[in-house]
Amino acid sequence: MLIKRPDDIRPSEITAPELYARRREFLKLAGLGAAGLTLARPGRLLAAESQLPGPFLKSPLSTMEALTPRKDATSYNNFYEFGTDKSDPAENAGVMKTRPWTVTVDGLVGKPRTFDIDEIIKLAPLEERIYRLRCVEAWSMVIPWVGFPLSALLKQVDPLGSAKYVEFTSLYDPKIMTRLPILHWPYTEGLRLDEAMHPLTLMAVGLYGDELPNQNGAPLRLVVPWKYGFKSAKSIVRIRLTDKQPHTAWNDAAPNEYGFYSNVNPKVDHPRWSQAKERRIGDFFKRPTLPFNGYADQVASLYAGMDLRANF
Amino acid sequence: MNTATQPRHGGLRMLSPTHIRIVKSVLFIVCLVPLSLLVARFFHDDLGANPIETITHATGDWTLRFLLITLAVTPLRRLTGWHWLIRLRRMLGLYAFFYATLHFLTYVVLDQFFDGWAIVLDVLKRPYITVGFAAFVLLIPLAVTSTNRMIKRLGGKRWQALHRSVYAIAILGVVHYWWLVKADLTEPILYGLILAGLLGVRAHWRNEERKRQLGGAYATRAPGGPKIDGRIIPIHPK
């Protein structure tokens, strides 16, 4: 498959590799300093110990847009298992234990397997991918994820020819998560297999050069940057390949509002609000929303011939 | 409370005009607290990652709360016998309008930034905005007619009839909230239950009053007299 560069990168903006390597050294030093500081605080010990193996490759698929402040990306989250207010996940998700953690990959595959999260992290070289994130609620962010293409994980289990879809299941532990029957727990999401194998589709294990905070879906989450945010399931425990379109949590809850595809599309409004514009967190003025969240060059071909109003 | 102005009948059932004035002044300040907190949070950069959303939600919440507080005055007055409470109702109602105006302006100025076309489309196409907008528009005549002069000009009966539309406005307010929520209906349900209680108690009293009048019409209290069970049938002369 031809991977086009996003058209918003000018060659002058691309950092030379040698400079980039030095930048990483600096960041590592800064990170060590920060780790030293956090060591003094017992609560942060674990985070400081389990750092992701770096350095992270810089991805040509990254956008050059200004990053959303880390504070905003980690304090303004939808993770309804921990509450429906944007600030609830940051307040409540701390109780979720992300070690030990296993992820079962099964279904229509030749070699079903249960992976330990630390195995998954070493499965492929970790990359930093700076993606736009567009929420269905018409706000957006720019987040530097750390992860690897989902295809690298799926190749480990030999998908069968009959597999057409991938279903993702999030952790649901009623002892630590809200029991409000808002959605059918556990949270499930799904992609078509070709969407799942697309190079843009990322399994994220970190952000801003660090491990994923729990509220952002630790220890492993999906990131599908051309789809609304809720497609990117958090805290995944199971990935299953199927021949039938999987049930998805939001589609089950309100099928007229949230479709299976949920591609970012300024022309198809949510029944209760317009999708034509979005507010980038931190901005005062709204900006127009781009088809496929600005990733049309890379992904529009996946939907050639489909009516995206019917398949919203 | 041992001053010369303390009413002879004592307690909270009767307040002197001076005390009512004090209560009103304190209430005026208290009603500004939600706005002050919001302003303080703004200056402390504590409105979260999406400040416009925070302001929209806070002003909307307080509009609903003030509507419900206003509607609670009459039941509270009947339950406690504190008849002076009625003297506070107008201010509470105007505060509901004040927060509704802030809520509306937040939407028009901060959220849409005067994007007239987007606003018109929103009002026409999105039921929750249609309903919220209607509630706001219906509040305007109530605010405008809240002066003593307007009560006199309209006449008590007509003024009262007009201001009873607040029941419909409160229902629209709860529906507006109900429809905009994505999944967790806890809070809209809570507001809905409180409103249902406040309107329900009025319906109950009305019913009692009707029965009482009907009892009066039959007049006979003698044992074996007609059973009181009927409707008032309006008779229209031809």
Side-chain angles (χ1 to χ4, degrees):
Chain A
M1 183 182 299
L2 176 70
I3 308 172
K4 284 193 203 156
R5 257 170 207 255
D7 48 18
D8 59 337
I9 305 180
R10 279 169 280 141
S12 60
E13 284 175 328
I14 298 172
T15 313
E18 55 276 17
L19 281 177
Y20 179 72
R22 264 194 274 156
R23 174 176 165 269
R24 295 255 43 114
E25 273 166 39
F26 168 75
L27 283 180
K28 259 205 236 163
L29 274 173
L32 279 175
L37 284 175
T38 50
L39 273 174
R41 290 166 54 195
R44 294 292 306 272
L45 262 173
L46 267 177
E49 272 170 9
S50 53
Q51 282 185 350
L52 298 174
F56 312 126
L57 305 174
K58 201 179 187 189
S59 172
L61 296 165
S62 286
T63 170
M64 306 306 278
E65 284 166 81
L67 300 184
T68 298
R70 181 192 174 126
K71 184 173 135 278
D72 291 343
T74 56
S75 65
Y76 189 79
N77 307 97
N78 281 325
F79 198 159
Y80 275 18
E81 289 88 328
F82 290 108
T84 50
D85 275 356
K86 296 281 185 293
S87 54
D88 285 342
E91 279 165 28
N92 303 331
V95 294
M96 181 169 61
K97 287 206 167 52
T98 57
R99 294 292 188 288
W101 188 282
T102 57
V103 182
T104 301
V105 189
D106 61 359
L108 300 174
V109 299
K111 294 189 287 186
R113 249 181 85 184
T114 294
F115 296 85
D116 186 81
I117 184 64
D118 292 307
E119 257 181 284
I120 289 181
I121 286 171
K122 289 176 199 124
L123 208 77
L126 295 182
E127 300 174 33
E128 181 172 78
R129 296 247 189 127
I130 303 169
Y131 279 166
R132 290 178 288 272
L133 172 93
R134 169 61 155 83
C135 178
V136 71
E137 296 163 344
W139 52 266
S140 62
M141 293 184 180
V142 178
I143 299 179
W145 301 105
V146 175
F148 59 88
L150 171 62
S151 60
L153 177 62
L154 293 182
K155 277 170 197 160
Q156 298 283 320
V157 294
D158 282 352
L160 300 180
S162 51
K164 296 279 180 291
Y165 294 93
V166 187
E167 179 193 70
F168 304 88
T169 306
S170 296
L171 175 74
Y172 185 63
D173 181 351
K175 287 198 288 296
I176 56 166
M177 293 165 161
T178 173
R179 267 164 260 192
L180 284 178
I182 297 161
L183 298 169
H184 294 296
W185 309 116
Y187 191 90
T188 53
E189 255 308 334
L191 293 173
R192 233 169 41 194
L193 188 60
D194 57 342
E195 295 176 322
M197 298 300 285
H198 192 279
L200 278 176
T201 304
L202 194 74
M203 286 315 280
V205 295
L207 85 187
Y208 297 89
D210 224 330
E211 290 206 330
L212 275 178
N214 286 0
Q215 63 268 29
N216 293 82
L220 182 75
R221 68 167 290 169
L222 186 67
V223 181
V224 196
W226 70 93
K227 292 177 181 281
Y228 293 121
F230 65 87
K231 290 298 286 183
S232 297
K234 295 185 171 85
S235 303
I236 292 170
V237 292
R238 189 171 183 206
I239 298 172
R240 199 167 61 95
L241 279 75
T242 68
D243 54 359
K244 287 188 191 70
Q245 186 174 301
H247 280 269
T248 69
W250 279 106
N251 186 232
D252 281 355
N256 60 325
E257 298 185 7
Y258 312 99
F260 174 78
Y261 284 94
S262 295
N263 292 315
V264 175
N265 191 341
K267 291 207 180 99
V268 177
D269 284 347
H270 184 280
R272 287 179 287 144
W273 57 80
S274 163
Q275 296 292 26
K277 289 182 179 179
E278 68 201 52
R279 175 168 289 109
R280 180 68 51 83
I281 293 299
D283 284 2
F284 178 74
F285 291 106
K286 290 185 174 178
R287 63 177 68 205
T289 285
L290 301 172
F292 298 105
N293 199 24
Y295 298 95
D297 283 353
Q298 292 102 314
V299 301
S301 59
L302 292 174
Y303 310 101
M306 273 174 74
D307 177 2
L308 294 178
R309 282 185 179 275
N311 296 289
F312 63 92
Chain B
M1 287 263 295
N2 214 352
T3 62
T5 51
Q6 189 177 353
R8 251 180 306 145
H9 301 290
L12 284 162
R13 285 180 72 89
M14 295 273 272
L15 289 190
S16 69
T18 314
H19 279 134
I20 291 175
R21 229 172 296 135
I22 294 170
V23 169
K24 269 177 119 171
S25 314
V26 171
L27 187 66
F28 184 86
I29 306 290
V30 168
C31 292
L32 282 171
V33 166
L35 176 66
S36 318
L37 286 177
L38 210 53
V39 172
R41 285 174 68 189
F42 173 78
F43 283 109
H44 283 92
D45 195 17
D46 187 32
L47 289 173
N50 197 344
I52 296 172
E53 183 187 73
T54 308
I55 296 168
T56 307
H57 288 175
T59 51
D61 282 347
W62 282 105
T63 304
L64 258 182
R65 286 170 196 160
F66 273 103
L67 275 175
L68 295 180
I69 292 169
T70 311
L71 285 173
V73 167
T74 297
L76 200 64
R77 178 180 159 220
R78 277 188 68 154
L79 289 173
T80 57
W82 303 349
H83 295 290
W84 50 269
L85 281 172
I86 200 74
R87 306 273 302 271
L88 309 174
R89 190 170 64 178
R90 189 189 306 182
M91 190 205 290
L92 292 167
L94 281 169
Y95 263 110
F97 179 69
F98 173 68
Y99 281 101
T101 306
L102 289 180
H103 185 59
F104 177 73
L105 287 177
T106 308
Y107 167 72
V108 170
V109 182
L110 299 183
D111 191 47
Q112 303 288 342
F113 202 69
F114 305 107
D115 186 342
W117 184 236
I119 293 169
V120 169
L121 281 182
D122 254 3
V123 171
L124 293 179
K125 282 170 72 179
R126 328 253 172 251
Y128 85 91
I129 293 186
T130 317
V131 165
F133 184 74
F136 176 66
V137 169
L138 287 171
L139 269 177
I140 296 172
L142 306 196
V144 169
T145 58
S146 66
T147 60
N148 288 335
R149 260 178 73 185
M150 285 305 279
I151 299 174
K152 277 213 190 93
R153 245 174 90 177
L154 284 171
K157 274 232 147 66
R158 273 201 291 168
W159 185 88
Q160 204 179 23
L162 173 66
H163 279 249
R164 282 210 172 110
S165 62
V166 73
Y167 303 146
I169 292 168
I171 293 170
L172 291 176
V174 171
V175 170
H176 168 67
Y177 190 16
W178 197 293
W179 276 351
L180 78 88
V181 165
K182 208 166 83 176
D184 181 6
L185 284 169
T186 316
E187 281 193 48
I189 287 172
L190 198 65
Y191 284 112
L193 286 175
I194 294 169
L195 179 62
L198 292 171
L199 297 184
V201 76
R202 283 175 168 80
H204 173 70
W205 284 333
R206 237 184 129 90
N207 198 32
E208 293 289 296
E209 173 66 14
R210 189 183 51 80
K211 271 198 211 153
R212 198 184 61 78
Q213 283 183 9
L214 219 53
Y218 280 101
T220 61
R221 305 275 159 167
K227 217 175 137 217
I228 299 163
D229 178 23
R231 292 181 295 127
I232 297 175
I233 300 164
I235 299 162
H236 301 289
K238 296 243 156 108

